[in-house]
Amino acid sequence: MADITRRLGWRHLRGAPTAHVRHHTSGELVHDGPGLSFWYRSLTASLSEIPVDDRELAMTFHARTSDFQDVAVQATVTYRISDPAVAASRIDFSIDPDSGAWRGTPLEQLGSLLTETAQQHALAVLARTSLASALVDGVAAVRERIADGLAAEPRLPATGIEVVAVRVVALRPEPEVERALRTPAREQIQQDADKATYERRAVAVERERAIAENELASRIELARREEQLVEQQGTNARREAEELAAADAVRAGAEAARTVRLAEAEATRSLRLAEAEATRKVRLAGAEAQAEREVGAARAEAQAAWLRVHGEADAATLHALTGSRLAENLPRIENLTISPDVLTGLLAKLGNGAAGESA
């Protein structure tokens, strides 16, 4: 829709680049082209706006196949108005000079024209095609037939319309027929799925059997290796015991030899010590005997000398020596009191003794 602005009885139209505007005043063409912008008076102006961009026309219609089955055709036709002047002269594209809205429904007329033409050609090709063939190859055949039919339709160029592309989206039968057609495929798919399931189970069973066999073989191999390990361990244990026994024997021999050497050394040392001790005792005994002999000889000589001295001494001297020795051996006397009677007796004894000696 054109953008129209009002100013003091005048109108200003600003068209889009994709809209071709034709302006007539008093039957004369004043402005003609896309994306125009101009002032005009609404009372004397006649305006037409023709879209020149590509348009998508979606259509859905029903057709019947050669085996009398209804199918629904979903298609899309892309078109554009290549000659706006021709289109404006054949179809009413006039717009209100005050609001810019179309006075009629030109696009609906174009849509009806294209839909009826496409439907006519689609019905012609599907009427000679069975349902199964239509569902398999009907889309391409219908698209080609519609495209060729629209290209050869003389009314479209005469209206200024150019078909750009034709697309057939789908061909669908009735729901009951579609379900019936899907049943064999579903059964086949289910059978294939069941077959795949059985094959998968068979493969799984085979794999489980292979795994079990591998596990059994692994256990057998492990048991064999364990047996070899036990044998090797026994051999190693025997060898270790033999080596330990040999080492113990060597150690015992070395210990015995060391003990013998130590005993011999101890015996030799003890013998040497005993010999040294005996020698020392013999020497000591000889020295003691020699000393005792010398002491005895000295004592004998002293005794002999003492006897000679006493033998040569007189009686008074001997008495004096006896008294002195007695005095030496008597206990210490602090005070001695001699009574006259004792002194008289002693003097008398001394006198008698001296007289006897004199005689």
Side-chain angles (χ1 to χ4, degrees), residues 15-29:
T18 58
H20 189 98
V21 177
R22 293 174 61 84
H23 174 209
H24 291 79
T25 300
S26 301
E28 295 182 2
L29 182 62

Side-chain angles (χ1 to χ4, degrees), residues 41-93:
R41 295 182 63 85
S42 61
L43 295 177
T44 60
S46 176
L47 301 175
S48 297
E49 185 181 26
I50 303 97
V52 293
D53 57 339
D54 291 350
R55 297 274 173 162
E56 299 286 342
L57 177 61
M59 58 185 69
T60 301
F61 52 87
H62 292 271
R64 178 168 295 183
T65 61
S66 60
D67 50 359
F68 305 102
Q69 299 295 327
D70 290 335
V71 293
V73 180
Q74 296 179 1
T76 301
V77 175
T78 303
Y79 70 96
R80 65 169 171 263
I81 299 176
S82 59
D83 194 343
V86 174
S89 63
R90 300 294 299 271
I91 300 174
D92 184 13
F93 284 96

Side-chain angles (χ1 to χ4, degrees), residues 31-268:
H31 298 93
D32 184 17
L36 297 180
S37 179
F38 55 87
W39 290 92
Y40 65 92
R41 295 182 63 85
S42 61
L43 295 177
T44 60
S46 176
L47 301 175
S48 297
E49 185 181 26
I50 303 97
V52 293
D53 57 339
D54 291 350
R55 297 274 173 162
E56 299 286 342
L57 177 61
M59 58 185 69
T60 301
F61 52 87
H62 292 271
R64 178 168 295 183
T65 61
S66 60
D67 50 359
F68 305 102
Q69 299 295 327
D70 290 335
V71 293
V73 180
Q74 296 179 1
T76 301
V77 175
T78 303
Y79 70 96
R80 65 169 171 263
I81 299 176
S82 59
D83 194 343
V86 174
S89 63
R90 300 294 299 271
I91 300 174
D92 184 13
F93 284 96
S94 63
I95 61 175
D96 187 273
D98 292 328
S99 63
W102 276 316
R103 296 180 183 274
T105 56
L107 296 181
E108 292 183 3
Q109 296 179 17
L110 288 178
S112 300
L113 175 62
L114 292 173
T115 301
E116 292 175 357
T117 305
Q119 183 176 2
Q120 177 182 356
H121 294 289
L123 293 177
V125 69
L126 289 175
R128 298 190 301 269
T129 306
S130 63
L131 178 62
S133 300
L135 294 178
V136 175
D137 300 323
V139 172
V142 171
R143 181 179 64 251
E144 293 177 0
R145 182 60 181 272
I146 292 176
D148 295 340
L150 291 177
E153 179 66 30
R155 186 179 176 185
L156 297 181
T159 315
I161 299 174
E162 178 183 357
V163 177
V164 178
V166 176
R167 297 188 302 276
V168 177
V169 180
L171 290 175
R172 292 185 177 278
E174 293 182 351
E176 295 81 4
V177 177
E178 187 174 4
R179 284 194 295 269
L181 292 175
R182 288 179 179 178
T183 301
R186 289 181 178 178
E187 293 294 333
Q188 184 64 35
I189 293 173
Q190 186 64 38
Q191 291 178 4
D192 294 340
D194 294 340
K195 182 179 179 181
T197 302
Y198 297 150
E199 291 178 353
R200 185 170 60 253
R201 290 179 180 176
V203 171
V205 171
E206 182 65 22
R207 289 180 179 176
E208 290 179 357
R209 184 185 63 80
I211 292 172
E213 291 180 355
N214 291 334
E215 290 179 353
L216 181 60
S218 300
R219 291 180 181 178
I220 294 174
E221 181 65 20
L222 182 61
R224 185 179 64 80
R225 293 186 179 182
E226 287 180 353
E227 182 179 0
Q228 293 178 355
L229 179 61
V230 170
E231 293 179 358
Q232 186 65 35
Q233 288 178 349
T235 303
N236 294 338
R238 288 194 298 271
R239 186 177 299 171
E240 185 178 1
E242 292 175 357
E243 291 179 355
L244 290 176
D248 291 339
V250 173
R251 190 181 300 109
E255 186 69 21
R258 188 176 67 82
T259 303
V260 170
R261 288 196 299 271
L262 291 176
E264 290 177 354
E266 185 66 22
T268 301

